Amino acid sequence: MEKIIDGEKLNIPEHVAIIMDGNGRWAKKRLMPRNFGHKAGAKTVEQICEDAHDLGIKYLTVYAFSTENWKRSVEEVTGIMNLLRNYLVDCIERASKNNMRVRIIGDRTALDKDIVEKIEELEEKTAYCDGLNFTIALNYGGRDEIRRAVTKIAEDTRSGKLLESNIDESLISSYLDTRNMPDPDLLIRTSGELRLSNYLIWQLAYTEFYFTDVLWPDFSIKDLEDAIRYFNGRDRRYGGVK
Ligand code: IPE
Ligand code: IPE
Ligand code: MG
């Protein structure tokens, strides 16, 4: 899809993935506790969902909590989980208003029961929405996702549901949490870190990467447009020659 932004015709990526990083540093700069940054970051997510939809992005996938983030203090983890509880409830209302379909990826088994119930309700209530496909990665790790997929493939092979000869790349993709979603076209990481931190490691194989020093709570539509402009300057060859 194409869109005119600031007088320039731009190709809009179908799927944008974001590593929302820098909440802690944003709070620290203001001499506030880290959870103050997470709260501000949650507000930014709401705005960016609307902006992404307005720009014509079809899939937006954000990294909210990694399988490694449990290493943080109990206070911070509890704060993030409580913020998430509120966010999920608000999201049910907002999603139906914006016609947004919400999905959560990651390992739910480690989440509190009430959070899992809220997730199920949110997914069920937005299942028929055909606006923005918004996916939140929660207790998500790319290696953990592949581990869970491999376990399931092994089970299905043992039970005869699957033949070993059927195991190709698209079958593996279909066992991942992101089944039914195209791979991301553009990855954005905020806060100046140049690493993946275990995000969508299978799916990002041919994605274009955009890094910015902006801290996540300060990320705005202008920054999203800058990322899209950068994306438009890339030549995606997929291993071929152009
Ligand atoms: C990203 O911000 C949010 C989560 C990982 C939950 P950080 O909390 O990592 O912020 P910094 O990187 O410490 O500034
Ligand atoms: C990645 O950020 C995870 C999320 C944004 C949820 P981190 O802040 O946890 O990553 P590292 O520790 O800098 O690699
Ligand atoms: Mg960080």
Side-chain angles (χ1 to χ4, degrees):
M1 178 185 159
E2 284 183 335
K3 183 132 188 153
I4 311 270
I5 299 175
D6 290 339
E8 201 183 343
K9 196 195 263 179
L10 292 177
N11 187 11
I12 303 296
E14 184 183 20
H15 184 174
V16 176
I18 306 185
I19 302 177
M20 315 184 287
D21 199 10
N23 293 350
R25 277 162 283 171
W26 184 90
K28 196 173 175 199
K29 266 178 40 184
R30 287 161 180 76
L31 308 175
M32 294 296 278
R34 295 181 59 83
N35 282 327
F36 181 71
H38 295 314
K39 204 167 172 182
K43 278 262 158 261
T44 303
V45 182
E46 283 181 24
Q47 185 57 48
I48 290 300
C49 277
E50 298 202 4
D51 297 338
H53 182 58
D54 293 345
L55 286 168
I57 292 166
K58 293 269 181 319
Y59 293 84
L60 179 70
T61 303
V62 302
Y63 206 4
F65 192 87
S66 75
T67 44
E68 288 71 37
N69 286 147
W70 298 104
K71 290 178 193 159
R72 298 185 179 197
S73 72
V74 175
E75 190 194 358
E76 182 169 352
V77 172
T78 312
I80 293 174
M81 290 301 158
N82 284 335
L83 195 60
L84 187 75
R85 284 187 169 87
N86 295 332
Y87 182 84
L88 291 171
V89 173
D90 291 350
C91 199
I92 294 178
E93 214 168 287
R94 253 180 324 106
S96 41
K97 236 189 328 200
N98 299 343
N99 199 24
M100 174 168 91
R101 177 168 186 176
V102 190
R103 296 182 180 91
I104 290 16
I105 55 170
D107 181 6
R108 295 180 190 187
T109 59
L111 301 175
D112 285 349
K113 192 166 163 279
D114 71 296
I115 294 187
V116 177
E117 284 167 4
K118 287 186 177 73
I119 289 173
E120 286 168 355
E121 188 186 350
L122 180 59
E123 288 186 330
E124 210 173 289
K125 288 211 167 133
T126 65
Y128 302 100
C129 295
D130 59 4
L132 177 72
N133 285 282
F134 177 51
T135 303
I136 308 170
L138 194 60
N139 191 27
Y140 174 89
R143 288 185 175 177
D144 181 65
E145 180 190 35
I146 292 170
R147 174 194 63 78
R148 287 183 284 110
V150 169
T151 306
K152 188 84 182 39
I153 289 172
E155 271 170 29
D156 288 352
T157 310
R158 200 180 336 106
S159 72
K161 203 172 143 191
L162 188 68
L163 290 175
E164 206 180 305
S165 57
N166 291 140
I167 304 175
D168 59 11
E169 291 182 11
S170 71
L171 180 117
I172 295 173
S173 292
S174 76
Y175 274 78
L176 297 175
D177 297 345
T178 49
R179 62 188 145 267
N180 305 324
M181 278 163 66
D183 287 340
D185 300 293
L186 172 65
L187 169 80
I188 299 172
R189 182 167 190 157
T190 57
S191 88
E193 307 299 346
L194 310 183
R195 55 177 170 259
L196 285 183
S197 302
N198 205 7
Y199 193 39
L200 301 173
I201 53 175
W202 171 276
Q203 298 85 342
L204 294 174
Y206 266 104
T207 302
E208 300 296 334
F209 289 8
Y210 178 80
F211 298 103
T212 169
D213 288 338
V214 172
L215 302 174
W216 177 252
D218 291 329
F219 192 84
S220 71
I221 185 163
K222 278 272 144 256
D223 302 301
L224 184 57
E225 288 172 355
D226 284 349
I228 293 173
R229 247 185 297 274
Y230 166 85
F231 173 78
N232 274 257
R234 306 306 305 166
D235 180 15
R236 301 183 83 185
R237 290 188 291 274
Y238 298 100
V241 180
K242 265 194 196 165

